[in-house]
Amino acid sequence: MRKPKQRSGARREISYNEIPAAIRRRPYYVVLPGLIILIGIMIPFVTAIALSLTNYSFKLPATKFVFLKNWIGLFASRDFYRALGVTLRYAVYCTGTQMILGSCVAFLLKNDNPFNRILKVLFTFPLMVAPAIAVLVWQLMTSNTVGVLEKFLNLFGVYNFPWAASNRTAMFTVVLIDTWVNLPFVILLVQAGIQSLPKSPFEAAQVDGAGAWFTFRTLTFPLLKPFMYIALLFRLMASLQEFGIIFALTKGGPGNTLMNISLTGYLTGFTYQNLGKALPYLLVLWCLVNVSARFIVKRQRQLILQAAGRE
């Protein structure tokens, strides 16, 4: 009997050995950069955990294993809880202020006209300024002798406003500087979200006679939430880890008013030269940032899945 001829169009399965070696190695080339980055991240992280279990110090000739002594001392210290409170308050104040103001400014600048274009360019200037330089500029502006802001407050009968020199106004001052530096970041992200919104739902709402507040509450704000979560994620992570602005302005003062976890860990490790006690501060900060970021990313993913399900 004749064997049935194999159709020319039929597909034949290719075994793994028939694939050229160069093609078989391609998946490993794709994974390799991520693996290198992971190793580069894990080596310092594991080293930090190991050193936090020792009395490692620049002053001591030998390093001894002390197990959980540094961690027990951390959670029994009032300085840690004070620094944790300062860190959380600073993050809430900065992130909340910047999200609210940034969203409002982005909505005010959504119309494309020459005046708004000029304002958009002006609002990006603070992003080009280093935090230390921004602090120096604000120190001159808030000076009681030559400061522009001091002269402005004098018009309303306010003289010698303490700014960063008082425990009551130091947090306000540093939040003000942080907002000036990082507010454009939120504005740009929210503007990008506004420009990417689909036009058809808004046109349908306009045809149906929906009001501005109803359109914002049911269409604009829900559609903008993924973009706002991105801005919230980056700003919250940066605010929790803030070091440069506070250190350049008051170095944690006056007193210990602005001593957050980053500054406390820095002073413990490099000023007092006790890195074994400083590393638990920084590892706790890492956990705090990681948990916050995971919560925001999870919430954003849920919004995206809900939007995809409605479609």
Side-chain angles (χ1 to χ4, degrees):
M1 295 179 61
R2 293 182 179 180
K3 294 182 179 180
K5 294 182 179 180
Q6 188 176 3
R7 296 182 181 178
S8 58
R11 295 182 179 180
R12 185 177 67 88
E13 293 184 0
I14 301 176
S15 64
Y16 179 78
N17 294 328
E18 293 178 343
I19 301 175
I23 297 178
R24 293 202 302 263
R25 287 194 294 265
R26 285 181 183 176
Y28 300 99
Y29 294 150
V30 174
V31 175
L32 184 60
L35 182 62
I36 294 174
I37 294 174
L38 179 62
I39 294 174
I41 292 174
M42 291 305 297
I43 289 177
F45 183 70
V46 174
T47 303
I49 294 176
L51 291 178
S52 71
L53 304 177
T54 67
N55 66 341
Y56 181 75
S57 173
F58 302 129
K59 299 181 293 185
L60 299 177
T63 300
K64 296 182 180 179
F65 182 73
V66 296
F67 196 48
L68 296 177
K69 181 179 178 180
N70 294 330
W71 289 92
I72 295 173
L74 173 74
F75 292 113
S77 172
R78 293 182 179 179
D79 292 338
F80 167 70
Y81 295 104
R82 187 207 65 248
L84 179 62
V86 172
T87 301
L88 295 176
R89 289 201 311 273
Y90 182 84
V92 170
Y93 294 159
C94 286
T95 306
T97 303
Q98 292 164 23
M99 290 299 299
I100 294 172
L101 290 180
S103 301
C104 293
V105 173
F107 278 106
L108 292 175
L109 298 179
K110 67 178 181 178
N111 296 326
D112 190 13
N113 55 63
F115 181 70
N116 283 355
R117 292 173 196 164
I118 296 174
L119 289 179
K120 289 177 184 178
V121 174
L122 294 177
F123 275 123
T124 60
F125 284 171
L127 288 176
M128 306 175 192
V129 180
I133 303 300
V135 170
L136 179 60
V137 172
W138 276 86
Q139 283 178 330
L140 293 174
M141 292 172 59
T142 57
S143 172
N144 290 334
T145 55
V146 297
V148 176
L149 292 179
E150 179 66 22
K151 301 299 182 183
F152 177 75
L153 291 178
N154 291 346
L155 298 176
F156 299 93
V158 179
Y159 297 92
N160 297 324
F161 190 79
W163 297 104
S166 172
N167 295 340
R168 294 176 298 173
T169 57
M171 180 67 76
F172 166 77
T173 304
V174 75
V175 170
L176 180 64
I177 298 174
D178 193 310
T179 300
W180 183 82
V181 173
N182 296 301
L183 183 65
F185 176 79
V186 180
I187 295 174
L188 291 176
L189 275 180
V190 178
Q191 278 185 341
I194 292 173
Q195 293 175 359
S196 65
L197 294 179
K199 296 182 179 180
S200 55
F202 296 93
E203 293 174 352
Q206 187 176 7
V207 171
D208 293 339
W213 171 245
F214 180 82
T215 303
F216 172 81
R217 183 168 53 85
T218 58
L219 288 177
T220 307
F221 186 69
L223 292 174
L224 275 179
K225 276 186 178 180
F227 297 92
M228 298 181 75
Y229 270 112
I230 294 174
L232 177 64
L233 172 65
F234 281 100
R235 289 309 313 136
L236 181 61
M237 291 173 61
S239 298
L240 288 170
Q241 303 172 76
E242 183 56 51
F243 176 85
I245 294 177
I246 299 177
F247 184 80
L249 185 64
T250 64
K251 293 182 174 58
N256 53 14
T257 304
L258 298 178
M259 286 292 294
N260 61 1
I261 293 180
S262 296
L263 274 171
T264 305
Y266 169 81
L267 292 177
T268 305
F270 294 99
T271 301
Y272 306 132
Q273 299 185 7
N274 196 333
L275 198 62
K277 289 185 178 180
L279 285 171
Y281 281 96
L282 305 181
L283 290 171
V284 168
L285 180 61
W286 177 85
C287 293
L288 186 62
V289 173
N290 192 19
V291 170
S292 302
R294 284 180 176 273
F295 175 78
I296 295 174
V297 171
K298 181 179 179 180
R299 181 57 184 161
Q300 184 190 27
R301 187 179 302 155
Q302 290 175 351
L303 287 175
I304 294 174
L305 292 177
Q306 289 175 2
R310 286 195 294 266
E311 294 177 358

